[in-house]
Amino acid sequence: MRAALYARVSTEDQAKEGFSLDAQIKRLEAYCKVRGWDIADRYVDEGYSGRNTDRPEYNRMMSDMEGWDLILVLKMDRIHRNSVNFALMMDELRNQGKEFNSMQDKFDTTTAMGRFVMDIMQRIAQLESEQIGERTYIGMREKAETLETSNATKKTMGFNPPFGYRLENGALTIDDAEFPVACSIFSMYSSGMTIDQICYQLNRDATLTRRGNPWNKYNLRNILHNPVYAGYMRWEELLIKHDAKIVLTPEEYNDIQLKMASKVRDPKKRNPILLSTLDE
């Protein structure tokens, strides 16, 4: 038998004892030696979640299917944490006459009982993963709801600051080079210029986006709709006040939102999200 050795760690797994990539590969190699299997190749994904298949080494392994007879992993959750993706992989392996073996779980696909128990274990692994996700979401939600009144200096939710801003020691602050451009964008729109005209003006002046690209109506709309410029960070439907310098007041921001909404042809899609202008 030719074995494809697969090892994976995600960020949260790296801190767990026994899940290091080297430890996984060494144990898989020793297992192959005991079973008398040849090692076709080693596939190692570092820093990738098992909840999806967007993993370079996993995809390379599946593309190399002709070169091996079975996949060998240390534990089932190393290959997948999603039962649907696991089932799809197993269907593909069966269609190609390939096998699967989870060393620590002592399951393989050569018996009906092994296939049944493996399916149950995979569903348990998915349940655990989803529960972790739910707990993480609840924690982030609680943080977002209390962030504005928190004494912490890092009053952000780990977001990427928009054009005109940057993070300094976890706190939102202005970017000296970009902030004047952001001010000009709001000023030009308030003066009556259309988004297309603003794009033309910025590109004619060789003023580029943060990534060095020309301006277009999509990235300009993102700026004009972003409440950060009026003093509020958005997390889902929550608005969290920040302490960085602002481009315009909430009242001015609301005027722009109403102006942009009035230009939407379909009345059903005219749903501007406005900021509260009352001090709470």
Side-chain angles (χ1 to χ4, degrees):
M1 296 284 281
R2 300 168 300 168
L5 311 188
Y6 182 76
R8 179 188 65 81
V9 292
S10 64
T11 303
E12 61 191 32
D13 290 325
Q14 290 172 351
K16 296 180 181 178
E17 183 179 357
F19 276 117
S20 73
L21 293 173
D22 287 342
Q24 290 181 56
I25 291 296
K26 287 179 180 178
R27 294 187 65 180
L28 295 177
E29 289 174 342
Y31 188 77
C32 286
K33 185 175 181 180
V34 171
R35 296 293 297 267
W37 293 342
D38 294 327
I39 298 174
D41 206 343
R42 298 161 181 80
Y43 304 88
V44 177
D45 278 316
E46 181 174 7
Y48 288 89
S49 170
R51 300 179 188 178
N52 57 61
T53 59
D54 188 18
R55 291 170 266 155
E57 284 294 277
Y58 172 82
N59 291 317
R60 184 173 75 88
M61 176 178 67
M62 299 306 287
S63 298
D64 293 346
M65 198 176 293
E66 292 184 0
W68 46 262
D69 301 308
L70 66 87
I71 295 174
L72 177 63
V73 295
L74 182 64
K75 293 185 65 178
M76 289 173 59
D77 62 6
R78 296 304 86 202
I79 192 78
H80 284 299
R81 281 185 174 271
N82 181 293
S83 62
V84 174
N85 290 336
F86 182 78
L88 291 173
M89 182 195 74
M90 291 305 303
D91 285 342
E92 186 173 0
L93 293 181
R94 292 188 192 101
N95 292 336
Q96 299 298 324
K98 306 297 180 178
E99 304 294 343
F100 176 81
N101 190 300
S102 176
M103 172 186 158
Q104 207 168 81
D105 300 310
K106 295 181 173 60
F107 297 142
D108 62 61
T109 58
T110 60
T111 67
M113 180 58 70
R115 289 189 292 271
F116 172 76
V117 176
M118 189 174 296
D119 182 64
I120 297 299
M121 291 295 294
Q122 187 61 29
R123 291 182 183 276
I124 293 173
Q126 181 181 357
L127 175 62
E128 179 185 0
S129 179
E130 290 176 352
Q131 288 176 328
I132 292 173
E134 289 174 354
R135 289 194 293 269
T136 301
Y137 172 82
I138 292 173
M140 292 185 67
R141 178 84 187 187
E142 290 177 350
K143 178 182 178 182
E145 291 174 343
T146 60
L147 193 60
E148 189 172 321
T149 57
S150 170
N151 293 325
T153 57
K154 298 180 180 180
K155 291 191 176 183
T156 62
M157 292 295 292
F159 77 136
N160 291 322
F163 184 86
Y165 290 92
R166 58 187 172 85
L167 292 178
E168 187 173 292
N169 297 324
L172 191 68
T173 186
I174 65 169
D175 184 290
D176 292 333
E178 296 177 353
F179 189 77
V181 179
C183 293
S184 296
I185 290 172
F186 281 94
S187 177
M188 285 187 283
Y189 191 81
S190 297
S191 69
M193 290 179 64
T194 66
I195 290 180
D196 287 336
Q197 289 172 335
I198 297 173
C199 284
Y200 176 79
Q201 181 72 42
L202 292 172
N203 293 331
R204 188 185 67 173
D205 295 341
T207 303
L208 302 177
T209 68
R210 177 176 294 169
R211 296 183 179 181
N213 298 320
W215 290 92
N216 58 55
K217 59 184 179 182
Y218 301 107
N219 49 39
L220 268 181
R221 281 200 186 102
N222 287 337
I223 285 180
L224 292 170
H225 281 309
N226 197 327
V228 166
Y229 300 99
Y232 291 87
M233 299 175 291
R234 180 183 288 128
W235 191 83
E236 293 193 336
E237 82 285 2
L238 299 177
L239 289 172
I240 306 161
K241 194 170 184 179
H242 66 74
D243 299 324
K245 186 177 180 180
I246 60 176
V247 174
L248 71 173
T249 66
E251 291 85 356
E252 293 169 333
Y253 175 85
N254 289 345
D255 288 341
I256 287 179
Q257 303 315 300
L258 293 171
K259 183 178 179 180
M260 295 180 72
S262 68
K263 297 182 180 181
V264 177
R265 293 182 180 180
D266 188 350
K268 296 180 180 178
K269 296 182 179 179
R270 295 174 186 170
N271 52 350
I273 300 177
L274 304 180
L275 299 177
S276 172
T277 57
L278 299 177
D279 292 331
E280 298 179 355

